[in-house]
C-alpha cells in the first residue's frame, strides 16, 4: 500500500505509476475526484482524478473502492478521455456497488458553506466531497448500486432536493435547483457507469486469494486524515493505511506492507497548521523549482522544510515500513537545508502532536541546519552517484525517523528514481520482477 506521509501532493502519482508495473490491481480506498495525479504514458499526459493509474497498463486492473465518493459526471468524463486516447477501459475498471455518489447539491452546499460568514475556511476544492461524506455518515447517501433503480433514484433526488434547497436557501440564500432535470441527467450518467459497477471487495479478496499483487493507493496525505490530521483543516475521509481496510473491503491481515511517500521538504494546500512553513526567498525558490502549484486547482502551494516530528507521527499511524522520498532534486541549489527536528511549546520541548487547533499556533519548530550539496541530482538513477551531502541528508532523515528509505525520486519521470539497494522495497521489487 502507498500512502502520503504529509499533506498530500507528495508525488504519489509518479510512485504508484512506477510501482504499477509489478501489480495486477491498483485500488483507491478514499477521497474523490480531488486527487489529481498527472501520469505520463508514452507521448500522452493524463490527469486522472478518480480512476487509478493502473488503467493505463494493459495487464493491470483499476478498482474504485467503497470508501471513495464518486462524481458520476467526473467518472464519465475520465472514462471518455481515456477511451478517446485508445485506452481500454471496459473489463479493466471496477467501481464498487457500495461507493457513495456525489450529486450536484453536494457541491452547491459546499460552495455556499465555504463562503458563508463566520465559517472557518478549510480551503476545500468544493467538489462536493465533504458533503457527500456527511450524507454517507448521516445515512442519507446514495450509492452506486442505487443508480440501477430509476424509481429509487428519482425519489432520492426529489427528497434530497427538497431538503437541500430549503437549507441552502435559508442559510445561504442559494437559488433552488430543479430536481426533475437532475434526475434526467443522472439517469443518463447511470447508464454509462453501471457497466463498471462490481463487488470490488469481493474481487480484491479473490485476487488476493489467487496471489495476485494488489496496490492500494491513498489519496491526500496523513495530516489530512479526518481523525489524525490537523483537524478541522483536513479532508473528509480516513487517508491513513487503516482506512484502506474499510475503504477497499480488505481485512488488516491482508495488508502486506506500507510505503510512505514524502517530499524532501514540505508543502500544504489551503489553510491550517504548517509549523515548518517558509515564507521567505527560499520558500519562493522551493515553489518555483518544485512547481508547487495544484495539479487540479492551479493554486500556489504553501512550502516549507521537512518536519520530522510529523513524519514520525505519519510513520507511527500508518505503520510505514519504507519511506519513499521525492523531489530531492528541488533542493539542489541550496547551501543549507533546515530540517525541523522537534517543537517547543511555551518554551518546553513538546513531545506530542497537538490535538487542539490553538496549540498549533503556539508551536515553535526547532531546526537543525544540514549542509546542502549545490550540485544537480536531477535525473540521477544510482545511489552512488548522489553527492555525499545529499546521501547524508537522507541518512539523517532515516536515522531520525528510525525507518529505512526505500526509494529516492530525482525527477518527474518514472525512471528518474533510485530504488535503494538492500532496502525492503528493493528486495520485494526484485522478487516480484523475477516472478513476473
Ligand atoms: P500526488 O498528488 O501525490 O501525486 O502529487 P502531485 O502529482 O500533485 O505532485 C507531484 C508533482 O511533482 C508532479 O507534477 C510530478 O510530476 C512531480 N514530481 C514527482 N516526483 C518528482 C521528483 O522527484 N522531482 C521533481 N522535480 N518533480 C517530481
Amino acid at each position: 500500500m502507498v500512502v502520503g506521509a504529509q499533506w498530500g501532493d507528495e508525488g504519489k502519482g509518479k510512485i504508484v505509476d512506477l510501482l504499477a508495473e509489478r501489480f495486477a490491481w491498483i485500488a483507491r480506498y478514499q477521497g474523490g475526484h480531488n486527487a489529481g495525479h498527472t501520469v505520463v504514458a508514452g507521448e500522452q499526459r493524463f490527469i486522472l482524478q478518480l480512476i487509478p493509474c493502473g488503467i493505463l497498463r494493459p495487464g493491470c486492473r483499476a478498482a474504485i473502492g467503497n470508501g471513495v465518493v464518486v462524481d458520476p459526471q467526473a467518472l464519465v468524463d475520465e472514462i471518455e478521455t481515456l477511451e478517446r486516447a485508445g485506452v481500454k477501459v471496459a473489463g479493466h475498471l471496477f467501481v464498487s456497488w457500495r461507493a457513495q455518489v456525489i450529486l450536484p447539491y453536494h457541491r452547491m452546499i459546499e460552495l455556499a458553506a465555504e463562503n458563508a460568514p463566520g465559517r472557518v475556511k478549510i480551503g476545500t476544492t468544493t467538489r462536493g466531497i465533504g458533503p457527500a461524506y456527511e450524507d454517507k455518515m448521516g445515512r442519507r447517501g446514495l450509492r452506486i448500486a442505487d443508480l440501477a433503480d430509476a424509481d429509487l433514484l428519482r425519489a432520492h433526488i426529489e427528497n434530497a432536493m427538497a431538503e437541500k434547497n430549503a437549507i441552502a436557501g435559508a442559510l445561504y440564500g442559494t437559488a433552488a435547483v430543479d430536481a426533475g432535470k437532475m434526475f434526467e441527467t443522472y439517469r443518463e450518467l447511470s447508464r454509462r457507469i453501471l457497466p463498471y459497477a462490481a463487488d470490488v471487495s469481493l474481487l480484491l479478496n479473490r485476487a488476493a486469494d489467487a496471489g495476485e499483487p494488489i496496490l492500494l493507493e491513498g489519496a491526500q496525505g496523513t495530516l489530512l486524515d479526518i481523525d489524525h490530521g490537523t483537524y478541522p483543516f483536513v479532508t473528509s475521509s480516513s487517508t491513513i493505511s487503516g482506512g484502506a481496510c474499510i475503504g477497499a473491503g480488505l481485512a488488516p491481515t491482508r495488508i502486506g506492507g506500507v510505503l510512505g511517500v514524502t517530499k524532501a521538504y514540505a508543502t500544504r494546500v489551503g489553510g491550517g497548521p504548517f509549523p515548518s512553513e517558509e515564507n521567505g526567498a527560499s520558500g519562493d525558490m522551493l515553489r518555483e523549482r518544485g512547481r508547487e502549484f495544484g495539479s487540479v486547482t492551479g493554486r500556489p502551494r504553501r512550502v516549507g522544510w521537512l518536519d520530522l516530528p510529523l513524519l514520525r507521527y505519519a510513520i507511527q499511524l500508518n505503520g510505514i515500513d519504507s519511506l519513499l522520498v521525492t523531489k530531492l532534486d528541488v533542493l539542489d541549489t541550496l547551501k543549507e537545508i533546515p530540517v525541523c527536528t522537534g517543537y517547543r511549546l511555551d518554551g518546553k520541548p513538546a513531545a506530542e502532536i497537538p490535538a487542539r487547533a490553538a496549540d498549533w499556533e503556539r508551536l515553535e519548530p526547532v531546526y537543525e541546519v544540514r549542509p546542502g550539496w549545490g550540485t544537480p541530482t536531477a535525473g540521477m538513477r544510482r545511489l552512488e552517484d548522489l553527492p555525499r551531502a545529499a546521501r547524508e541528508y537522507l541518512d539523517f532523515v532515516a536515522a531520525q525517523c528510525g525507518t529505512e528509505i526505500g526509494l529516492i525520486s530525482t525527477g518527474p519521470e518514472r525512471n528518474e528514481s533510485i530504488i535503494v539497494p538492500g532496502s525492503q522495497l528493493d528486495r520485494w521489487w526484485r522478487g516480484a520482477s523475477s516472478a513476473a
Side-chain angles (χ1 to χ4, degrees):
M1 158 167 12
V2 173
V3 292
Q6 298 172 303
W7 282 283
D9 309 314
E10 297 93 347
K12 294 180 297 297
K14 168 191 160 164
I15 299 290
V16 171
D17 183 45
L18 170 74
L19 298 178
E21 189 187 316
R22 301 284 200 273
F23 286 89
W25 289 85
I26 316 258
R28 290 260 321 258
Y29 60 86
Q30 45 74 229
H33 59 305
N34 55 351
H37 295 320
T38 311
V39 190
V40 182
E43 297 292 290
Q44 289 167 313
R45 244 188 131 71
F46 296 94
I47 295 191
L48 294 181
Q49 296 179 354
L50 197 51
I51 302 181
C53 67
I55 197 76
L56 298 174
R57 302 211 181 237
C60 192
R61 270 151 296 170
I64 294 178
N66 57 279
V68 174
V69 286
V70 176
D71 180 324
Q73 184 68 62
L75 181 59
V76 166
D77 289 349
E78 263 181 47
I79 292 171
E80 284 177 354
T81 308
L82 288 166
E83 282 177 340
R84 269 199 303 275
V87 177
K88 194 168 175 334
V89 182
H92 293 264
L93 174 67
F94 302 89
V95 182
S96 171
W97 288 118
R98 296 183 175 86
Q100 295 279 323
V101 177
I102 302 179
L103 287 151
Y105 53 75
H106 290 126
R107 190 153 184 264
M108 170 180 99
I109 294 274
E110 190 169 27
L111 266 173
E114 183 77 2
N115 294 320
R119 173 85 152 74
V120 180
K121 275 211 188 318
I122 307 293
T124 79
T125 49
T126 57
R127 279 153 204 264
I129 290 165
Y133 277 116
E134 280 180 45
D135 279 354
K136 169 181 178 172
M137 290 310 185
R139 295 171 295 181
R140 48 179 184 270
L142 184 80
R143 309 207 296 181
I144 295 285
D146 302 329
L147 295 175
D149 181 340
D151 294 334
L152 195 155
L153 178 63
R154 185 195 297 275
H156 181 93
I157 289 179
E158 280 170 1
N159 292 337
M161 276 331 299
E163 184 191 308
K164 308 289 176 185
N165 277 334
I167 293 173
L171 292 183
Y172 316 117
T174 311
V177 172
D178 180 55
K181 254 197 358 236
M182 194 183 298
F183 167 72
E184 292 307 329
T185 309
Y186 280 76
R187 179 81 187 119
E188 187 46 39
L189 288 169
S190 304
R191 285 199 193 98
R192 295 282 288 118
I193 288 175
L194 286 168
Y196 304 97
D199 189 334
V200 164
S201 165
L202 181 66
L203 289 177
L204 293 177
N205 276 288
R206 280 190 183 148
D209 286 342
E212 295 176 18
I214 301 167
L215 180 64
L216 298 162
E217 173 188 358
Q220 293 90 38
T222 300
L223 300 168
L224 295 176
D225 182 89
I226 183 75
D227 287 277
H228 301 282
T230 53
Y231 194 89
F233 300 94
V234 293
T235 197
S236 302
S237 56
S238 300
T239 60
I240 62 169
S241 55
C245 299
I246 298 161
L250 277 172
T253 43
R254 289 284 202 189
I255 308 293
V258 183
L259 304 172
V261 186
T262 175
K263 284 179 189 168
Y265 50 100
T267 62
R268 151 154 230 176
V269 170
F274 186 178
S276 65
E277 185 166 13
E278 169 59 57
N279 289 312
S282 319
D284 293 338
M285 189 283 296
L286 290 177
R287 188 176 300 106
E288 289 308 316
R289 281 185 60 83
R291 303 208 188 148
E292 298 297 353
F293 301 90
S295 56
V296 175
T297 60
R299 284 189 286 189
R301 294 177 182 148
R302 297 159 68 193
V303 296
W305 307 111
L306 195 58
D307 185 324
L308 296 176
L310 288 182
L311 197 50
R312 288 190 287 259
Y313 181 63
I315 290 166
Q316 171 186 301
L317 281 169
N318 291 291
I320 292 172
D321 302 301
S322 199
L323 281 171
L324 317 185
V325 180
T326 60
K327 296 196 153 186
L328 184 72
D329 55 301
V330 172
L331 304 180
D332 282 353
T333 57
L334 287 168
K335 287 205 173 56
E336 292 184 326
I337 307 168
V339 180
C340 171
T341 52
Y343 300 133
R344 294 181 79 78
L345 187 65
D346 301 330
K348 293 192 226 53
E352 288 177 15
I353 302 302
R356 291 201 317 161
D359 285 350
W360 282 102
E361 305 288 323
R362 309 204 330 265
L363 217 52
E364 294 165 52
V366 177
Y367 289 105
E368 183 166 328
V369 177
R370 307 295 304 175
W373 41 97
T375 54
T377 62
M380 282 188 176
R381 296 172 198 191
R382 295 183 333 165
L383 192 63
E384 55 270 32
D385 293 341
L386 287 181
R388 174 195 274 262
R391 290 185 65 166
E392 283 173 358
Y393 179 77
L394 295 165
D395 288 346
F396 175 75
V397 172
Q400 286 271 323
C401 290
T403 305
E404 70 164 37
I405 292 178
L407 183 143
I408 302 150
S409 169
T410 58
E413 298 300 322
R414 253 179 226 166
N415 55 13
E416 293 173 319
S417 311
I418 300 165
I419 295 184
V420 176
S423 64
Q424 292 184 61
L425 180 65
D426 179 49
R427 284 197 296 278
W428 177 83
W429 185 257
R430 286 195 275 155
S433 114
S434 58

